Amino acid sequence: MQLTFLGTGDVRQVPVYGCDCPACSTARQDRRLRRKPCSALLELGELRILLDGGLTDLAERFAPGDLNAILLTHYHVDHVQGLFHLRWGLNDSIPVYGPDDRNGCADLLKHPGILDFRPPLTAFVPFQLDELKITPLPLQHSKPTFGYLFEHDGQHLAYLTDTVGLPEKTECFLQNFDNLEVVIDCSQPPRPEPPRNHNDLNLVIEIHTRLHSRRTWLTHIGHEMDAWLIDNGLPTGLYVAQDGQTLV
Amino acid sequence: MQLTFLGTGDVRQVPVYGCDCPACSTARQDRRLRRKPCSALLELGELRILLDGGLTDLAERFAPGDLNAILLTHYHVDHVQGLFHLRWGLNDSIPVYGPDDRNGCADLLKHPGILDFRPPLTAFVPFQLDELKITPLPLQHSKPTFGYLFEHDGQHLAYLTDTVGLPEKTECFLQNFDNLEVVIDCSQPPRPEPPRNHNDLNLVIEIHTRLHSRRTWLTHIGHEMDAWLIDNGLPTGLYVAQDGQTLV
Ligand SMILES: [Mn+2]
Ligand SMILES: [Mn+2]
Ligand SMILES: [Mn+2]
Ligand SMILES: [Mn+2]
Ligand SMILES: [Zn+2]
Ligand SMILES: [Zn+2]
């Protein structure tokens, strides 16, 4: 089981349009530090699953047939905008799984093209793609949102974005797993109050501790978090994801 | 008054994802033949107006302050998708004009960020940006849609997409102008029946004739139209627009 971060940015991306803060200025000069819309590729043998479709160049990144499935966390634009183009392709259809959100995004569900939207997933009811076991986990966000636990051969990887904190049931469920690898929304640096709908670093540290995670990877990162990271380090066990980085 | 075609493709763009037709194959090899989402830049002296926001790299194309206004034909995704990112910039706000469509697209109107959505325009009621006179013209499409007549110093340019045919009032209005330069939706090659919501070439030829246009530029072009153009020519006065091309 291998996860590659395709995008690790929040809705504004890094650099933010017109922002000259230290993080945005550096990212404008060094493309490797840029953060595209939050998304990832999960691979297990021949199986390739796209986690969220917010990248706008999906047609250039993935040849027809490359993707076995698309798994959506939720229908906010930054997580589905790349699908508006992909849908009008001529290929075999691509199965798309996600939470129950009949509104979807704009006319995506009404005109799905080659996207084969499967019946909405049910919280805590696992399903299988090839050898991979996937459990949808409710998150706390402004739209119906699922994180996912991926299990294979003793490996446990939880992909948890977008969210502010974790619902109690999701947290209890994840506490059953040892050696958990966590990828989680950390949009903001430490705040007196966490931002609406997204974690700040304080919340992420609490979650890391309560889940006894082996490693916690920060994603959905905003430019203020990146600016904070220029002057500050992270506690042991926490890591900042970068676009293009692969976890094995 | 100078118009630059930024994108001349239909909703599927050229090449279509996974299509190996002659037009798509050629465009995949030669980037100059690709067609991005239909949009244009209108310039008059210092004034720079973006016509539609479907390009997904607007933040890279236009530095903060570069655009004086955005003029929308309608709120279909291929005409506004690039605005979802631009809106979260830090710059001065950008005035956005368009038709009356309270639904807009996804949460664009609800969370406009730096986009300053002005009150909806009214059909046939002209307004002025600097020296440029702009008249909104109703089109025939599946969402409320305006074409626009741009006037300056004896120059008359009509930008008419997306549309199938023209409403009678719009046609009568445009017949008042001599030396009219027309840019128009020609999504499809000649068809026994024009496609829903978009022109085929037969309709475009009829409109060109009835408006006595000096020149008619085809835009919002689909891959089947491009494939047809490999083997066929256009009547006098009709021209195929290309991405990046400038009309002076
Ligand atoms: Mn998001
Ligand atoms: Mn979200
Ligand atoms: Mn269109
Ligand atoms: Mn349209
Ligand atoms: Zn910044
Ligand atoms: Zn084609």
Side-chain angles (χ1 to χ4, degrees), chain A residues 11-13 16-19 31 34 56 59-60 62-64 77 81 84-86 88-91 105-107 114, chain B residues 11-13 16-19 31 34 56 59-60 62-64 77 81 84-86 88-91 105-107 114:
Chain A
V11 67
R12 306 177 75 178
Q13 301 180 38
V16 171
Y17 184 52
C19 182
R31 294 192 81 88
R34 296 191 181 189
T56 55
E60 313 221 346
F62 298 103
V77 175
Q81 61 195 348
F84 287 110
H85 175 221
L86 210 65
W88 298 126
L90 281 183
N91 322 304
C105 182
D107 62 358
I114 62 165
Chain B
V11 67
R12 305 177 75 178
Q13 302 181 36
V16 170
Y17 185 52
C19 181
R31 295 192 81 88
R34 297 191 181 190
T56 56
E60 311 221 345
F62 298 103
V77 175
Q81 60 194 349
F84 287 109
H85 175 220
L86 210 65
W88 298 125
L90 281 182
N91 322 305
C105 181
D107 62 357
I114 63 166

Side-chain angles (χ1 to χ4, degrees), chain A residues 18-71:
Chain A
C19 182
D20 291 320
C21 80
C24 290
S25 302
T26 317
R28 213 166 273 121
Q29 283 154 29
D30 183 351
R31 294 192 81 88
R32 292 168 302 176
L33 300 177
R34 296 191 181 189
R35 298 188 187 277
K36 295 270 184 194
C38 190
S39 55
L41 183 69
L42 191 79
E43 294 171 276
L44 175 62
E46 298 293 294
L47 182 70
R48 290 159 66 89
I49 305 174
L50 179 66
L51 306 183
D52 282 336
L55 296 174
T56 55
D57 60 352
L58 293 174
E60 313 221 346
R61 285 175 186 249
F62 298 103
D66 266 9
L67 293 172
N68 302 95
I70 298 173
L71 192 54

Side-chain angles (χ1 to χ4, degrees), chain B residues 9 29 50 61 66 92 99 106-107 111 126 141 151 167 174 178 203 212 216 220 226 235:
Chain B
Q29 284 154 29
L50 179 66
R61 286 176 185 247
D66 265 9
D92 293 342
D107 62 357
H111 300 298
H141 197 51
E151 296 177 73
L174 286 173
D178 290 333
L203 268 180
H212 309 289
T216 293
H220 208 276
D226 263 337

Side-chain angles (χ1 to χ4, degrees), chain A residues 199-211:
Chain A
N199 287 330
D200 69 341
L201 181 59
N202 289 333
L203 269 180
V204 169
I205 293 171
E206 285 176 30
I207 292 167
H208 172 74
T209 307
R210 289 201 302 266
L211 295 183

